Amino acid sequence: MAPVVPCQSQPPTMAYSCPVISATKAVPVTVAPPKEEAKPSEPEPNFLESVDLYFDAAAAISHVSPDILAQIKACNSIIRVQFPLKLPDGRVELVEGYRAQHSHHRLPVKGGIRMSLTVDAEETMALAALMTFKCALLDVPFGGAKGGIKIDPRKISPEAKEAVIRRYTSELVKKNFIGPSIDVPAPDYGTGPQEMAWIKDTYQMLKPGDLNTFACVTGKPLHEGGIRGRTQATGQGVFVCLREFFKSEKWMERLGMSVGIKSKTFIVQGYGNVGRHTIEAIVGAGGRIVALAEWNGGLVDDTGAGLDMAAVAAHHARTGSILHCVGATTLLDSAAILERECDVLIPAALEGQITASNAGRIRAKVVAEAANGPVTAAAEKRLAACGVVVLPDLLVNAGGVTVSYFEWLKNLNHIHFGRMSRRMEERGKQQLVDALEQEMAGGMRFSHTTRQSIVRGNTEEDFVWSGLEEHMIEGWENVDRVAEERGCSFRTAAYLIAIERIARSYNVSGIFP
């Protein structure tokens, strides 16, 4: 890989190493010295301001009238709820929650629920806006929404967490902010399938006459109305987007890179659901993970071969952390990992990770936003000036909502995909194979393995992966085409496609009353 240098000149730094003693052997740990932050030349926008700036850049080159643009940009509804949580020691803690419905141009609205101490009204509205534009970009028929509960899920018991989720759900029900045709939540940071099962059960108890209660939330466990592939969907979508980008001879020539993911170097920030499944797909395609960052540090590879991700996964399963994995160097400065040299940097954690302060030190050729809003608007300007290509979150991490759409359809139809067609497909294929064998000279026959692979009918998972791939490839092709035609960035192209699709919806449907 050709060396990449930071855009801004930085004073030379030195690192020192010290051993961390484990039960088995000493593991090298590298600690980077504190470094002086570069002062941004312009104020750093917050998350919502960044989303608005991205919107404005696309709106300026759209053919949409200012009044419709104002409607598309505005958040339609947001609620704030507050309720008590009784702690084991008898104290009562007040819990704050939000739910924003950004756009009702399509119903239901759709968006995850996160649990984090950073949750506030502006963050919730920003994430809801991203959901609106993400769904419009991939032509998924939802408006955008988002929810959040201001609490650290790691510091409460499972029983308390269940109580919080159920009470939050009941507040949404009371305010008509949840329902299969109204607002359909999903997992986000700090939540997962178990929390979605609690939401479904609470809604079911409060809405006993609703036939479609399973469709009130997605991302559920499989046996509670979930769908195969939902857990891997966002990470798989990230991979499909990267694969299509690296197949582009045009872009590889511009970046001075060879076609394909094989042998490319990747740094991933975040080893949660999205990060893990993105890594699995990249490694499977021959890519090398040269560093992995978490909130409390990370791992770097000094061999050139890439991290042994099977060993990292086993270590994480055993210890609950990626740190101090044998065979890799542990770095305690998580932010410094993002600044190491690589082909592709994948922020897969939270928003605001690449800012005006550190953008000039990013040494990747490509930044793929697997998280929502990891690059601020000010940072993107600096990255563009350095020739770094940003693949935007609207496209890259849209796999999750796409497969959530499939789960919602499955719940409304009350039947698994493939249940009515799989055996019929297999019988038709068997007849075709039999006919081919009869026509082949010399009595040739397919082997049993070959026959089984040919006649196999499509399962629910086959439908999910096919649909996900179709949405992601079409999304990438549209974004690439519009960016080329309009001479703009991928992000501006993604917003432009979304804005013009939403505007067409308003123009055709009209405005009530």
Side-chain angles (χ1 to χ4, degrees), residues 78-191:
I78 181 170
I79 60 168
R80 175 182 177 271
V81 299
Q82 189 168 298
F83 52 86
L85 171 66
K86 190 170 184 178
L87 301 173
D89 61 6
R91 292 182 299 111
V92 173
E93 180 179 332
L94 287 178
V95 179
E96 186 179 317
Y98 296 88
R99 185 70 179 174
Q101 296 179 348
H102 177 263
S103 177
H104 295 137
H105 78 284
R106 290 277 186 269
L107 288 174
V109 293
K110 188 85 181 70
I113 294 173
R114 61 173 49 187
M115 299 181 82
S116 168
L117 290 175
T118 66
V119 165
D120 60 24
E122 283 203 345
E123 178 194 74
T124 307
M125 289 191 291
L127 290 164
L130 287 179
M131 283 300 299
T132 291
F133 305 131
K134 191 181 303 183
C135 290
L137 172 63
L138 266 72
D139 206 18
V140 174
F142 295 133
K146 209 72 176 186
I149 304 171
K150 195 179 184 71
I151 197 167
D152 187 345
R154 295 171 297 183
K155 294 184 177 179
I156 58 175
S157 68
E159 294 77 17
K161 192 174 187 181
E162 180 179 357
V164 168
I165 289 290
R166 288 185 181 275
R167 179 60 185 266
Y168 175 79
T169 305
S170 71
E171 295 292 334
L172 296 184
V173 171
K174 284 191 292 185
K175 293 169 176 60
N176 206 31
F177 260 63
I178 186 173
S181 62
I182 300 169
D183 188 337
V184 181
D188 200 279
Y189 183 82
T191 61

Side-chain angles (χ1 to χ4, degrees), residues 419-436:
R419 182 61 60 88
M420 300 288 286
S421 60
R422 183 180 178 187
R423 302 303 172 185
M424 181 172 62
E425 288 176 10
E426 289 183 352
R427 282 196 296 272
K429 291 176 180 178
Q430 285 171 353
Q431 291 172 0
L432 175 61
V433 170
D434 290 342
L436 287 172

Side-chain angles (χ1 to χ4, degrees), residues 56-71:
D56 292 343
I61 60 172
S62 74
H63 301 297
V64 181
S65 61
D67 51 348
I68 297 298
L69 285 171
Q71 170 60 27

Side-chain angles (χ1 to χ4, degrees), residues 2-71:
V4 181
V5 296
C7 254
Q8 300 171 341
S9 60
Q10 298 292 327
T13 60
M14 297 181 64
Y16 62 92
S17 296
C18 61
V20 172
I21 307 300
S22 70
T24 54
K25 60 181 290 186
V27 180
V29 177
T30 301
V31 182
K35 51 182 176 286
E36 188 176 334
E37 289 293 333
K39 293 182 180 179
S41 58
E42 57 184 286
E44 186 73 64
N46 64 31
F47 190 11
L48 182 58
E49 289 169 343
S50 282
V51 173
D52 286 344
L53 287 169
Y54 294 145
F55 178 93
D56 292 343
I61 60 172
S62 74
H63 301 297
V64 181
S65 61
D67 51 348
I68 297 298
L69 285 171
Q71 170 60 27

Side-chain angles (χ1 to χ4, degrees), residues 344-400:
V344 186
L345 172 60
I346 305 177
L350 292 172
E351 63 273 5
Q353 301 301 301
I354 301 175
T355 67
S357 296
N358 66 352
R361 295 193 297 272
I362 297 299
R363 293 192 287 166
K365 294 182 177 180
V366 179
V367 174
E369 294 185 314
N372 286 312
V375 178
T376 67
E380 183 157 40
K381 290 181 181 179
R382 294 195 174 202
L383 292 175
C386 297
V388 178
V389 174
V390 177
L391 300 177
D393 48 5
L394 290 194
L395 173 64
V396 174
N397 69 27

Side-chain angles (χ1 to χ4, degrees), residues 297-346:
L299 303 173
V300 297
D301 166 62
D302 295 320
T303 68
L307 294 170
D308 182 347
M309 291 312 304
V312 173
H315 177 81
H316 183 268
R318 186 172 62 253
T319 67
S321 170
I322 63 170
L323 303 185
H324 313 311
C325 179
V326 175
T329 300
T330 294
L331 190 68
L332 299 181
D333 184 353
S334 190
I337 295 176
L338 306 187
E339 299 168 12
R340 294 176 69 89
E341 187 176 343
C342 63
D343 291 320
V344 186
L345 172 60
I346 305 177

